[in-house]
Amino acid sequence: MKIRSATAALMSAVMMLLPCSAVSAQEPDNTLCGYGQGREVDENNCPVGAMMFNEQFGSYSAYAVTDGDKICLTFDQGYENGFTAPILDTLKEKNVKAVFFLTGDYAKRNKELVQRMINEGHIIGNHGMKHASLPKLSDEEAREEIMSLHDYVKETYGYEMKYFRPPCGEYSEKALAQVQSCGYKTLVWSFAYCDWNVNDQPDRVQSLERVSGAAHKGAIYLLHSVSETNCQILPEVIDNIRAAGFEFGLPEV
């Protein structure tokens, strides 16, 4: 039964990643794919789909899970609605560093919060100037989407970003190559859940159990700072994950 289950998990992950697997001898494939870690996990609670992503796209410096033992918390910052400051308060209190992926609009409108992230030792990541799907852009537009935000953050904050998260979770082999050519590493995730809809927030108790229970070595968590639920459960999530024997850290890729 264990062998059959592992085979099913592997096939599920392969099917999830297959649309992007074709590689042209001349140019990487630009078939648009929507990333998801899948539900199948191995004996260490790590999603099989995340490991398959690493195996398939690691040559493009693209990762869904890290090589380290620690768990990396990441937050996508599309807009601000009052929860980022208390999230930063919790991270400071718990001595946890995280990665905050900024869109251009966020970087321009929330300078005090962005500067606080930098001052408190967090990593600032690139989530695209306009949060545009790279596979849908021309080569010139894709580079502009990445580098215009890179240059703005460098000029405004004196900070040089090095991690990119694909807007909308959409990528292609070509897009990953474009990101790499801009000097970036791509970080997707090995855990995410439906936390972004501010008008339909997930149940606090169920979310606490789900987020805490997803821990595994090298995990990359995707959370959204617009989520009231995330803001409420974050202190307990950190405590629960530490109680399970894990620690938090920045990306080891």
Side-chain angles (χ1 to χ4, degrees):
M1 291 297 292
K2 289 184 178 179
I3 295 175
R4 193 173 302 167
S5 176
T7 302
L10 180 62
M11 290 302 296
S12 174
V14 169
M15 292 303 292
M16 181 182 70
L17 294 172
L18 193 56
C20 282
S21 62
V23 180
S24 166
Q26 303 300 320
E27 184 176 272
D29 180 52
N30 197 40
T31 302
L32 187 152
C33 300
Y35 176 78
Q37 75 271 11
R39 296 184 178 181
E40 300 287 350
V41 299
D42 67 6
E43 66 277 8
N44 297 312
N45 203 36
C46 182
V48 175
M51 294 185 293
M52 292 289 291
F53 182 90
N54 275 31
E55 291 172 8
Q56 189 168 0
F57 300 116
S59 61
Y60 294 109
S61 301
Y63 307 95
V65 64
T66 80
D67 291 332
D69 292 338
K70 295 181 180 180
I71 291 173
C72 177
L73 296 181
T74 75
F75 295 86
D76 283 1
Q77 306 288 132
Y79 62 94
E80 182 55 43
N81 66 344
F83 295 119
T84 303
I87 285 172
L88 286 168
D89 290 342
T90 294
L91 295 175
K92 185 175 183 179
E93 177 188 348
K94 300 292 185 179
N95 193 27
V96 173
K97 307 302 181 187
V99 183
F100 291 87
F101 285 97
L102 314 181
T103 62
D105 185 70
Y106 194 96
K108 293 175 181 179
R109 290 177 178 267
N110 301 280
K111 293 182 178 179
E112 187 174 329
L113 284 171
V114 175
Q115 191 62 59
R116 180 181 173 187
M117 295 169 190
I118 296 169
N119 292 346
E120 294 182 1
H122 302 292
I123 286 179
I124 303 301
N126 191 327
H127 201 29
M129 177 59 84
K130 298 180 180 179
H131 198 255
S133 175
L134 293 189
K136 298 177 182 178
L137 303 179
S138 68
D139 291 354
E140 183 178 348
E141 290 170 338
R143 184 170 182 83
E144 175 71 12
E145 175 72 7
I146 299 166
M147 294 308 297
S148 59
L149 180 54
H150 179 94
D151 293 341
Y152 175 82
V153 169
K154 185 176 181 179
E155 292 169 7
T156 304
Y157 299 100
Y159 186 97
E160 192 152 12
M161 299 182 292
K162 61 180 181 178
Y163 294 108
F164 183 85
R165 171 156 289 158
C168 310
E170 295 180 348
Y171 70 98
S172 67
E173 185 179 19
K174 181 179 179 180
L176 298 177
Q178 289 170 324
V179 172
Q180 186 182 49
S181 73
C182 289
Y184 274 81
K185 295 179 180 180
T186 296
L187 290 188
V188 284
W189 56 88
S190 59
F191 171 78
Y193 77 123
C194 297
D195 62 347
W196 59 85
N197 188 344
V198 296
N199 297 314
D200 186 20
Q201 282 292 284
D203 177 78
R204 183 187 183 283
V205 175
Q206 292 178 352
S207 295
L208 177 60
E209 181 178 351
R210 184 173 181 184
V211 178
S212 300
H216 58 272
K217 290 183 178 180
I220 300 173
Y221 272 47
L222 164 58
L223 302 170
H224 288 80
S225 64
V226 296
S227 168
E228 182 177 9
T229 300
N230 285 345
C231 184
Q232 292 174 343
I233 69 174
L234 186 59
E236 292 175 86
V237 165
I238 292 171
D239 290 345
N240 288 350
I241 290 176
R242 281 176 167 161
F246 298 94
E247 192 45 84
F248 297 89
L250 294 172
E252 295 185 30
V253 293

